[in-house]
Amino acid sequence: MPASSLHTKDAAWSGRFNEPVADFVLRYTASVGFDQRLALVDIEGSLAHAAMLAHVGVLTAQDLAAIERGLTQIRGEIESGTFEWQLALEDVHLNIEKRLTDLIGDAGKRLHTGSSRNDQIANDLRLYLRGEIDRLAGVLTQVQRALVELAARHTETVMPGFTHLQVAQPVVFGHHLLAYVEMFERDAERLQDARKRVNRLALGAAALAGTTFPIDRAFVAARLGFDGVCENSLDAVSDRDFAVEFCAAAALLMVHVSRLAEELVLWMNPRFGFIRLPDRFTTGSSIMPQKKNPDVPELARGKSGRVVGNLVALLTLMKSQPLAYNKDNQEDKEPVFDSVDTVLDTLRAFAEMVPGIEVDAAAMRRAAAEGHATATDLADYLVRRGVAFRDAHEAVAQAVRLATERGCDLAALSLAELQRFAPSIGTDVFAVLTLQGSVAARNHVGGTAPAQVRAQIDRWRARLAQRTV
């Protein structure tokens, strides 16, 4: 099996070994192909670490100036795409350190005094996730705003509310949309709560036991905007529960996206005919010219599976690792990166797609009228007239059976026919059996009455207006 001579010469740890690493092993173990995404946060952490080393007297002012100058140049090369990544240098850390040493000499070799790739990578991932959580939260807010504004156009649009995907009770479409705003709000809260545990400094843990140098971890934490430090060095370098927690929040967010996507797919189907999606979010068929396929919602529904899979991958990765750092943890980054990319792209698509949704209010109303959606209202009416609820339930069930046999709605039955099942029914019952009357009657916080939906919208607009995107 061929070996890499470059790896022997440039590896940070090559002095311990008598032969170079095999080329295959180098390719198998190298992470630079994907962890280079962390380059800018790696530089950010290194700058803070170097400033601390100078602060405590481990680095000279001259060395610090050289390091800052060199890392600034490297950052520019990375941002411009001119930085040359070398597989032989394994990972993002050694690539940057080698380039720094080439630029500034021995000062570059002193940069990571009191540090290790173990605490570096843990810290890099924390810095990266903190920024991505903030970015995801901003796009999630855009999706919520889009849903709120679509809901505001449909506070009076009646549609069937479903249980078991069967017509249950009437709701207004705006109320239905706001259910997803609530779900996404909890997702936003979970992301922000996870951020608290992400935002802890790992630098200073070194390889696993800390360092003999007089470091000031609070100095670095303040410099990087962390809320505090990881207080146990073994835990700091070895656990990835903060990444698991992020992936769990991301997976649940995508489950909510997938539920909305599934409804969009159903509603666009001609059997429902409730909505039309903008053409730019649909595709046609290569053989059936009439087709207009909801590809974006379908893909979002499918991509939820990969984000859930990333969570399972991380949980499995961590479940049997002894303390402290193990090479297994190299496998933590790709699931995190993929979850970030997938969720971000999906939310961006929905933020742009939702405002263009066209609603067929007449189709929604017809569907609500077809399934005896006001049956519960009739039962409530009887209860208010002194009938026990179970007796009212039975009477209405018999009325529904008659209406079904007739092929008509409950409201189409005559007063005399309704009174066969419940003599206490009066002429005022027909106001109860209308769709508008049904939704208007649920006039309490959380109810589907148009007045309550408008109040919900006002609250959401005020809350979301306070957020930056």
Side-chain angles (χ1 to χ4, degrees):
M1 185 178 292
S4 169
S5 58
L6 272 176
H7 196 218
T8 301
K9 175 168 66 72
D10 290 333
W13 43 266
S14 58
R16 169 67 176 81
F17 295 86
N18 294 322
E19 62 178 353
V21 171
D23 282 342
F24 167 75
V25 175
L26 173 59
R27 291 193 301 273
Y28 186 71
T29 59
S31 60
V32 68
F34 51 85
D35 69 13
Q36 62 183 259
R37 179 187 288 222
L38 299 173
L40 297 183
V41 292
D42 188 74
I43 290 172
E44 184 182 357
S46 293
L47 286 168
H49 181 71
M52 180 274 294
L53 291 177
H55 171 69
V56 299
V58 173
L59 282 182
T60 66
Q62 292 80 6
D63 280 348
L64 175 61
I67 288 168
E68 290 176 336
R69 182 178 68 252
L71 288 177
T72 299
Q73 179 175 333
I74 292 169
R75 181 165 54 199
E77 292 172 358
I78 291 168
E79 289 175 335
S80 66
T82 60
F83 187 88
E84 294 184 10
W85 297 98
Q86 298 181 50
L87 179 66
L89 294 175
E90 298 184 63
D91 58 34
V92 61
H93 320 295
L94 295 184
N95 268 267
I96 291 174
E97 184 176 339
K98 175 65 166 56
R99 176 61 175 151
L100 181 65
T101 302
D102 289 345
L103 288 173
I104 67 172
D106 286 349
K109 298 177 182 179
R110 289 189 277 271
L111 167 60
H112 292 299
T113 302
S115 183
S116 161
R117 286 186 295 172
N118 294 357
D119 63 348
Q120 268 186 275
I121 190 57
N123 206 67
D124 287 359
L125 196 56
R126 288 173 179 275
L127 282 171
Y128 166 81
L129 263 182
R130 183 180 70 183
E132 294 306 315
I133 286 172
D134 291 344
R135 201 151 64 115
L136 284 169
V139 184
L140 185 54
T141 294
Q142 292 177 16
V143 175
Q144 288 179 284
R145 287 176 179 171
L147 288 168
V148 167
E149 294 311 312
L150 182 59
R153 301 200 297 270
H154 295 284
T155 59
E156 305 271 354
T157 303
V158 177
M159 67 174 291
F162 297 97
T163 61
H164 308 280
L165 206 56
Q166 304 296 310
V167 173
Q169 294 176 319
V171 297
V172 297
F173 186 48
H175 188 62
H176 193 114
L177 293 172
L178 291 178
Y180 287 102
V181 180
E182 293 270 359
M183 293 181 212
F184 290 143
E185 184 68 7
R186 294 192 297 275
D187 291 322
E189 291 171 357
R190 273 184 283 271
L191 285 170
Q192 290 305 315
D193 195 56
R195 190 187 190 279
K196 298 173 185 175
R197 285 171 287 284
V198 168
N199 204 33
R200 291 283 187 273
L201 178 78
L203 286 176
L208 77 160
T211 177
T212 60
F213 293 94
I215 60 173
D216 185 343
R217 298 186 70 206
F219 177 96
V220 182
R223 187 96 167 200
L224 293 174
F226 282 117
D227 295 331
V229 303
C230 299
E231 296 189 358
N232 183 283
S233 60
L234 290 164
D235 176 60
V237 298
S238 66
D239 206 349
R240 296 294 185 268
D241 60 351
F242 64 93
V244 174
E245 187 174 4
F246 164 77
C247 284
L252 190 47
L253 195 165
M254 283 298 290
V255 167
H256 290 152
V257 170
S258 184
R259 295 182 71 188
L260 175 56
E262 169 69 3
E263 296 212 293
L264 294 177
V265 171
L266 287 173
W267 293 341
M268 191 178 168
N269 186 290
R271 289 292 176 266
F272 282 78
F274 288 178
I275 65 165
R276 289 177 294 277
L277 296 179
D279 284 353
R280 64 186 182 278
F281 292 97
T282 61
T283 64
S285 166
S286 61
I287 191 172
M288 295 169 284
Q290 83 280 10
K291 295 294 293 296
K292 185 176 177 182
N293 299 324
D295 278 12
V296 170
E298 286 177 351
L299 270 175
R301 189 177 59 189
K303 284 179 182 291
S304 65
R306 67 189 294 157
V307 179
V308 171
N310 290 335
L311 169 61
V312 174
L314 277 184
L315 287 168
T316 306
L317 174 73
M318 294 306 304
K319 72 176 182 63
S320 299
Q321 285 194 41
L323 293 176
Y325 181 83
N326 297 277
K327 191 67 169 179
D328 311 46
N329 282 345
Q330 183 169 295
E331 292 296 303
D332 65 351
K333 285 165 280 300
E334 288 181 289
V336 170
F337 295 160
D338 184 69
S339 290
V340 167
D341 292 344
T342 302
V343 176
L344 192 60
D345 287 346
T346 303
L347 291 179
R348 283 173 172 163
F350 273 66
E352 293 183 22
M353 180 176 63
V354 168
I357 291 174
E358 298 178 12
V359 174
D360 189 333
M364 287 185 172
R365 187 178 186 86
R366 285 194 300 272
E370 287 175 355
H372 308 298
T374 58
T376 305
D377 297 271
L378 179 55
D380 290 347
Y381 168 89
L382 290 174
V383 169
R384 287 192 294 271
R385 292 217 161 195
V387 179
F389 179 76
R390 284 301 166 202
D391 293 336
H393 188 283
E394 177 63 22
V396 174
Q398 293 176 16
V400 167
R401 184 189 305 168
L402 176 61
T404 301
E405 291 170 355
R406 294 269 185 89
C408 68
D409 188 55
L410 277 172
L413 297 178
S414 69
L415 178 61
E417 288 170 326
L418 290 171
Q419 287 175 335
R420 282 169 44 194
F421 307 109
S424 61
I425 291 176
T427 55
D428 59 344
V429 71
F430 295 104
V432 170
L433 295 178
T434 66
L435 297 175
Q436 292 300 139
S438 176
V439 295
R442 287 156 171 81
N443 191 20
H444 55 78
V445 173
T448 191
Q452 291 295 332
V453 174
R454 286 190 288 270
Q456 287 183 62
I457 288 166
D458 289 342
R459 291 194 296 271
W460 278 116
R461 280 173 169 165
R463 188 183 304 179
L464 297 173
Q466 299 173 3
R467 299 179 189 169
T468 58
V469 296

